[in-house]
């Protein structure tokens, strides 16, 4: 282990300072951060495509040069090696594709959201993934680990084909060691970054310092640390593939100050864009999820609606299921086992039968609400609703069109809105009731919003980013986020500039949005960190 650690430190030194590699790292830093800046605006541009192609080419050249350097390939033999790389270009492309696939879930060096938000996926595919998200995620996880296993077990073999001068390709154990070391470096960076977030929280409470200056300095340090960790991690992985090669007695000791200066200047540009981007800390709609606030009543009940209305939310979000007699009942889960202790679904009972059931939750109880009674109550209170239409394979033919005919114009008159996880509902309602505001709910954010046109979007919080907000706004559509419930999550979403938050803690959300934005720059920093992981 001590010998491996010594060789790894030597590989770091050579990988950073060898001729050509130092310039290559500088160019890659410039290109990656250029992509981050250019990708701030939605859509594609000539400059963005050119920088993207240049980044891919530079990455291929840099990784090849790094592998040859760590494998101790003499300069005189490198023409042959480059010729082999050209001959095995499909193998090399496969390696790059595998690296991209494996790093997309982990931020893709800060470019993940910027890439995904531009994916032009057909509407049918998006809807299939959204409606079958659990099995799709399982299949995606299996494919991911298969690719990771191939890279782990076969990576050194593929590298041997590209660099036959290797005397002893890396073993699986060395590959695992490299992955653990890379993960450790990332964890070290993440820990230091979170300490800076904590420092900014403390500065925000003091109220006597320049919050923007402290936040800018923290962002710069985080970016510099990430750049160093990313380079060392790449060198570590290549080292694990090349194996423990005989080390030369002479090492390059080129100064790093040029790279440090250039990285610092580029970092200042990224920091400047981060602290000046808009929207941030904007006015946000307060939306009660399922009509509750801190477990004060049974979700989706008329009692909860009356109670939450006293707090004047922008919308009360609630859920509808079709019943056996083709009516609608206000219910979130398809099965009533949790709330009514009965293993039945709305499609097995009529509306009248369902309204006789008693629901119990958090020490409260209420009758299951039918949609006609719930809507009448909301109209008497002049409370706007955000109606989520749930769909199942048991739904009747023409369900959405009947809903549009019976309730579309009433909801338009009430200034209420409708959204759904099923894009077929969104499309049909927009066609049937042009004046009705209809939105699409994303179970996770992975494609361009314009692939599923809607009047607004309800984005899932965990995979939310500034790019998806900007993409929605570029189409003129508001963007709501569900369901931030903690103080920290609400503040981060507020810092992103979401148009509204759908939450189970309405009182807490109101208090968050009444804070002084200057004291919450820590949330901007936290969002910046999360964009890289």
């Amino acid at each position: 282990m001590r010998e491996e650690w010594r060789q790894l430190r030597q590989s770091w030194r050579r990988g950073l300072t060898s001729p050509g590699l130092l310039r290559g790292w500088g160019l890659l830093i410039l290109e990656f951060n250029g992509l981050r800046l250019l990708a701030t605006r939605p859509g594609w541009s000539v400059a963005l495509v050119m920088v993207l192609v240049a980044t891919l080419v530079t990455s291929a050249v840099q990784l090849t040069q790094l592998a040859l350097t760590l494998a101790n390939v003499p300069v005189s033999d490198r023409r042959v090696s480059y010729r082999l790389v050209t001959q095995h270009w499909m193998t090399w492309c496969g390696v790059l594709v595998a690296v991209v696939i494996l790093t997309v879930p982990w931020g893709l060096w800060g470019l993940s959201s910027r890439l995904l938000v531009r994916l032009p996926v057909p509407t049918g595919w998006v809807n299939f993934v959204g409606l079958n998200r659990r099995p799709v995620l399982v299949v995606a996880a299996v494919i991911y680990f298969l690719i990771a296993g191939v890279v782990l077990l076969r990576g050194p073999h593929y590298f041997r084909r590209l660099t036959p001068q290797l005397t002893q390709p890396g073993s699986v154990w060395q590959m695992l060691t490299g992955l653990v070391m890379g993960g450790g470096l990332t964890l070290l960076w993440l820990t230091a970054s979170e300490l800076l977030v904590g420092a900014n929280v403390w500065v925000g409470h003091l109220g006597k310092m320049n919050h923007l200056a402290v936040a800018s300095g923290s962002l710069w340090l985080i970016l510099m640390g990430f750049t160093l960790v990313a380079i060392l991690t790449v060198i570590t992985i290549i080292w694990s593939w090349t194996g423990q090669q005989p080390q030369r007695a002479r090492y390059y000791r080129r100064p790093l100050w040029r790279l440090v200066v250039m990285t610092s200047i580029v970092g200042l540009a990224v920091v400047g864009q981060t602290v000046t981007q808009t929207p941030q800390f904007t006015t946000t709609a307060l939306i009660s999820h399922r009509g509750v606030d801190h477990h004060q009543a049974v979700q989706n009940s008329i009692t909860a609606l009356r109670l939450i209305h006293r707090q004047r939310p922008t919308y009360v979000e609630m859920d509808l299921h079709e019943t056996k007699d083709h009516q609608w009942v206000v219910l979130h889960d398809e099965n009533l086992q949790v709330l009514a202790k009965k293993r039945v679904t709305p499609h097995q009972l009529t509306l009248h039968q369902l309204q006789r059931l008693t629901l119990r939750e958090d020490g409260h109880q209420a009758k299951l609400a039918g949609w006609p009674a719930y809507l009448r109550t909301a109209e008497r209170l002049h409370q706007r609703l955000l109606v989520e239409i749930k769909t199942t394979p048991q739904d009747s033919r023409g369900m959405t069109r009947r809903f549009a005919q019976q309730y579309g114009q009433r909801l338009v008159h009430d200034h209420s809105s409708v959204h759904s996880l099923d894009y077929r509902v969104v499309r049909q309602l927009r066609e049937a009731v042009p004046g009705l505001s209809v939105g699409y709910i994303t179970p996770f954010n992975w494609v361009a919003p314009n692939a599923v046109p809607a009047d607004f979007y309800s984005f899932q919080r965990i995979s939310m980013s500034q790019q998806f907000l900007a993409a929605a706004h570029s189409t003129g559509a508001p963007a709501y986020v569900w369901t931030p419930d903690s103080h920290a999550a609400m503040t981060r979403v507020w810092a992103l500039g979401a148009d509204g938050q759908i939450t189970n803690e309405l009182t807490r959300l109101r208090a968050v949005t009444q804070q002084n934005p200057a004291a919450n720059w820590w949330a901007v920093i936290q969002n910046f960190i999360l964009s890289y992981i």
Side-chain angles (χ1 to χ4, degrees), residues 193-204:
S193 300
E194 291 299 334
L195 290 175
L196 287 172
V197 172
N200 278 266
V201 172
W202 178 71
V203 169

Side-chain angles (χ1 to χ4, degrees), residues 322-448:
E322 189 186 31
T323 65
K324 182 179 180 180
D325 54 346
H326 307 320
Q327 300 298 314
W328 285 272
V329 67
V330 185
L331 180 67
H332 181 272
D333 297 337
E334 184 181 358
N335 196 296
L336 285 156
Q337 174 63 32
V338 175
L339 293 176
K341 300 298 185 286
K342 291 183 179 294
R343 289 187 176 276
V344 294
T345 67
H347 282 287
Q348 296 174 318
L349 301 174
T350 65
L351 177 60
H352 180 69
Q353 291 172 322
L354 287 164
Q355 287 177 314
R356 295 193 324 214
L357 296 178
T358 299
L359 309 182
R360 292 177 174 83
E361 185 179 39
D362 297 319
H364 306 284
Q365 66 179 38
K367 291 294 184 180
L368 185 58
W371 168 234
Y374 194 98
L375 179 59
R376 286 195 301 270
T377 303
E379 289 174 335
R380 283 198 301 269
L381 296 171
H382 301 289
Q383 174 61 61
R384 291 191 292 176
L385 300 177
L386 179 54
V387 182
E388 178 179 350
I389 296 182
K390 300 280 191 178
T391 60
T392 70
Q394 290 74 42
D395 292 335
S396 63
R397 184 183 298 273
M399 179 196 74
T400 303
R401 299 192 187 282
R402 284 190 295 102
F403 180 88
Q405 292 171 359
Q406 295 179 27
Y407 299 105
Q409 291 305 321
R410 284 180 69 177
L411 292 172
V412 172
H413 180 268
D414 298 338
H415 302 288
S416 293
S417 301
V418 180
H419 63 171
S420 179
L421 274 163
D422 192 334
Y423 190 72
R424 294 170 299 183
V425 172
V426 176
R427 184 179 60 250
Q428 292 173 15
L429 280 179
R430 294 184 80 201
E431 293 173 354
V433 192
L436 181 62
S437 176
V438 185
Y440 180 61
I441 305 172
T442 63
F444 34 80
N445 308 310
W446 64 285
V447 295

Side-chain angles (χ1 to χ4, degrees), residues 466-486:
Q466 182 71 35
Q467 285 65 54
F468 285 98
L469 281 174
H473 290 160
S474 69
T475 67
Y480 305 142
V481 178
W482 60 275
T483 25
D485 288 336
S486 68

Side-chain angles (χ1 to χ4, degrees), residues 107-226:
L108 190 61
W109 294 284
L111 300 177
S112 182
S113 289
R114 289 159 172 79
L115 170 66
L116 295 177
V117 80
R118 289 171 167 79
L119 287 182
V121 179
T123 301
W125 294 11
V126 178
N127 202 48
F128 176 83
V129 171
L131 295 177
N132 303 277
R133 52 193 177 279
R134 290 181 178 85
V136 167
L137 283 175
V138 170
V139 171
V142 171
I143 293 174
Y144 181 89
F145 285 110
L146 282 175
I147 294 174
V150 170
V151 170
L152 178 65
L153 298 174
R154 303 292 293 172
H157 169 74
Y158 293 140
F159 234 59
R160 180 69 178 270
R161 292 171 61 185
L162 298 176
T163 53
Q165 296 89 343
L166 291 178
T167 58
Q168 185 180 353
S171 63
V172 173
W173 173 252
Q174 188 167 340
M175 183 66 180
L176 287 172
T177 302
L179 291 175
V180 170
M181 181 61 67
L185 289 171
T186 304
L187 182 61
L188 181 63
W189 167 79
L190 183 59
T191 302
S193 300
E194 291 299 334
L195 290 175
L196 287 172
V197 172
N200 278 266
V201 172
W202 178 71
V203 169
H205 289 320
L206 287 180
K208 297 181 180 180
M209 302 180 67
N210 189 326
H211 303 118
L212 180 59
V214 175
S216 299
S218 300
L219 288 168
W220 183 84
L221 288 173
I222 290 168
L223 182 58
M224 295 302 100
F226 177 82

